[in-house]
Amino acid sequence: MNTPVLIAAVSARSLATAAHKTGLPVYVLDLYDDVDTQRITLASRRVKTESDGFDAVDLLTQAQELCPPHTPLVYGAGFEHCPHLLAQLARGRHLYGNSPDVVQAVKDPRYFFSLLKRLNIPHPETQLEMPDITTNRWLVKTIGGTGGYHVHPLKQSFSIGGQPCYYQRYLEGKPHSVLFLADGKQSRVVGYNEQWINEEFASAPYLYAGAMSVDDMPFQTELTEVVALLVRETGLRGLCGMDILLNATGFHVLEINPRPPSTFELHQQKGDLFYWHLQACDGVLPEILLHPHHLRAKIILYAQRTLKIPAHPEWPAWTADHPRPNSIIQRGEPICTVFAQGKQSQLTVIKREKQLQTCLKRWQEIAV
């Protein structure tokens, strides 16, 4: 397939890079239009934002202007809370991904957690009504939220601002995820990840910080069975993710990401997972998947204070998602992504993050 595709996501660089490695030309719409995205696309544009994601009018208008109206569509994060917008964007296009109806179903807590209960799949106690917080710790989550921005400890004085939300019993444990391919009926587990949380920002205490691929994941047989059950029940297609919590009592399913999760690039070989995402959406799964020889890790570097990117920044080769020169990055916004691989990938990526923080301070001094 050499037909260009349109990629739309909050941040589309990883998908665009994977497509580029397969030799597939792409158009991109996202919220950043990073420099490294621009270099590998036929054309790319930055979409205006609203408080909860895409400015719908701007997204649809720019899609009309950017590429031919029948250009096939691949989407990433950003449509979980607005499947109706996905439906509008996909109108007249071949959709490589789950249908808006499937997205809406798996992100509906009433449906999804009832499904988990019916299938006897372990998960935290979840409800739509305000719980009694005097006896247990609870989290409040915005429906369809992503990136951890939408998760907060539930307190007496907390307000979600009128957004649709649900409540989940807090459990101790470490967040992990399962990456898988599905064709609507069958599934193939691709790999597993340990996920990290950035605790530096009080306004987003569960902010997604990054992840590391793992090769010694416990409960692999059980998790493979859970993925298979959910695919058969929901009709999931393409590259998807399942977030879980691991603790002393076992694993607990938190949610399904019905689109390529950001961790997919920790597992791909020369863009093969983008290719198989397209194939799986059309009903074809691989018999065998090649896996990277090394563990990989990534950390998202967030601005600790307002930062101006220099006119001619020199980014290390182990970074990606480079902001445009002279961009202003506000506190709490992502600056770039830092990568490492090998047995010591976690230590290496943390070391590199610190090196980059030093570089950013030097940039600020020059700007002043």
Side-chain angles (χ1 to χ4, degrees):
M1 173 181 172
N2 291 316
T3 303
V5 299
L6 169 63
I7 298 176
V10 168
S11 175
R13 190 272 315 159
S14 59
L15 285 169
T17 300
H20 180 70
K21 288 180 178 179
T22 68
L24 191 64
V26 295
Y27 300 96
V28 163
L29 290 171
D30 72 2
L31 301 185
Y32 301 100
D33 194 24
D34 290 324
V35 172
D36 38 351
T37 301
Q38 296 175 7
R39 289 176 182 150
I40 58 175
T41 61
L42 293 172
S44 62
R45 290 189 181 179
R46 184 175 185 173
V47 179
K48 295 178 182 177
T49 62
E50 288 187 341
S51 59
D52 57 351
F54 297 115
D55 178 308
V57 173
D58 191 52
L59 175 69
L60 298 175
T61 300
Q62 296 222 48
Q64 288 180 336
E65 298 173 351
L66 184 68
C67 59
H70 300 298
T71 304
L73 173 64
V74 175
Y75 66 92
F79 296 95
E80 291 86 346
H81 71 292
C82 54
H84 59 282
L85 179 58
L86 175 61
Q88 290 177 278
L89 184 62
R91 191 169 297 144
R93 306 178 188 275
H94 184 87
L95 180 61
Y96 285 109
N98 287 293
S99 71
D101 288 343
V102 170
V103 174
Q104 182 168 351
V106 299
K107 302 311 291 187
D108 177 355
R110 188 185 302 276
Y111 166 79
F112 182 67
F113 291 102
S114 296
L115 176 63
L116 295 184
K117 184 176 181 179
R118 176 167 62 83
L119 297 175
N120 294 314
I121 296 173
H123 62 281
E125 181 181 350
T126 304
Q127 59 188 64
L128 296 177
E129 299 76 26
M130 174 73 80
D132 178 5
I133 63 173
T134 61
T135 56
N136 294 292
R137 294 172 64 184
W138 289 81
L139 300 174
V140 57
K141 300 183 176 184
T142 305
I143 295 176
T146 60
Y149 289 99
H150 65 300
V151 183
H152 297 270
L154 181 60
K155 301 177 181 178
Q156 199 71 46
S157 60
F158 183 79
S159 172
I160 200 70
Q163 296 176 303
C165 64
Y166 62 101
Y167 306 93
Q168 200 163 71
R169 178 79 69 86
Y170 173 84
L171 295 178
E172 294 284 352
K174 292 186 176 181
H176 286 69
S177 65
V178 183
L179 180 68
F180 64 93
L181 282 163
D183 65 1
K185 297 179 181 179
Q186 297 181 307
S187 57
R188 300 279 189 277
V189 170
V190 177
Y192 305 93
N193 309 284
E194 177 183 325
Q195 302 199 119
W196 302 324
I197 293 172
N198 187 315
E199 300 177 344
E200 295 181 13
F201 304 99
S203 60
Y206 290 92
L207 182 63
Y208 174 71
M212 176 180 66
S213 60
V214 295
D215 57 6
D216 57 350
M217 184 77 167
F219 308 110
Q220 292 190 23
T221 299
E222 294 87 345
L223 290 170
T224 299
E225 292 174 355
V226 166
V227 167
L229 276 173
L230 292 176
V231 168
R232 287 197 295 269
E233 288 283 339
T234 62
L236 284 162
R237 289 177 175 268
L239 197 57
C240 303
M242 181 173 73
D243 288 351
I244 63 173
L245 195 72
L246 288 182
N247 60 21
T249 65
F251 68 88
H252 308 267
V253 174
L254 302 178
E255 67 175 343
I256 288 288
N257 291 310
R259 40 74 184 172
S262 64
T263 52
F264 87 88
E265 62 182 338
L266 300 178
H267 298 270
Q268 69 172 350
Q269 294 274 76
K270 298 181 179 179
D272 65 327
L273 289 183
F274 189 90
Y275 169 81
W276 282 114
H277 173 63
L278 305 187
Q279 292 293 303
C281 289
D282 282 344
V284 180
L285 289 177
E287 291 297 327
I288 298 175
L289 271 174
L290 296 176
H291 292 277
H293 299 299
H294 305 286
L295 297 180
R296 292 174 175 169
K298 59 188 285 187
I299 284 181
I300 299 175
L301 182 63
Y302 292 94
Q304 297 177 348
R305 57 185 177 181
T306 301
L307 170 73
K308 182 177 181 180
I309 303 300
H312 304 286
E314 295 183 5
W315 296 100
W318 33 262
T319 60
D321 300 309
H322 303 147
R324 292 181 289 184
N326 299 312
S327 296
I328 302 296
I329 312 296
Q330 301 294 336
R331 171 176 163 79
E333 293 181 343
I335 301 173
C336 68
T337 306
V338 180
F339 292 90
Q341 71 174 29
K343 292 182 178 180
Q344 301 297 319
S345 59
Q346 182 174 5
L347 294 176
T348 301
V349 79
I350 292 172
K351 180 180 178 182
R352 287 175 172 177
E353 180 195 22
K354 292 179 179 178
Q355 290 176 338
L356 194 53
Q357 288 283 15
T358 301
C359 180
L360 295 177
K361 289 179 181 178
R362 187 168 67 251
W363 288 354
Q364 283 297 85
E365 291 170 357
I366 295 173
V368 172

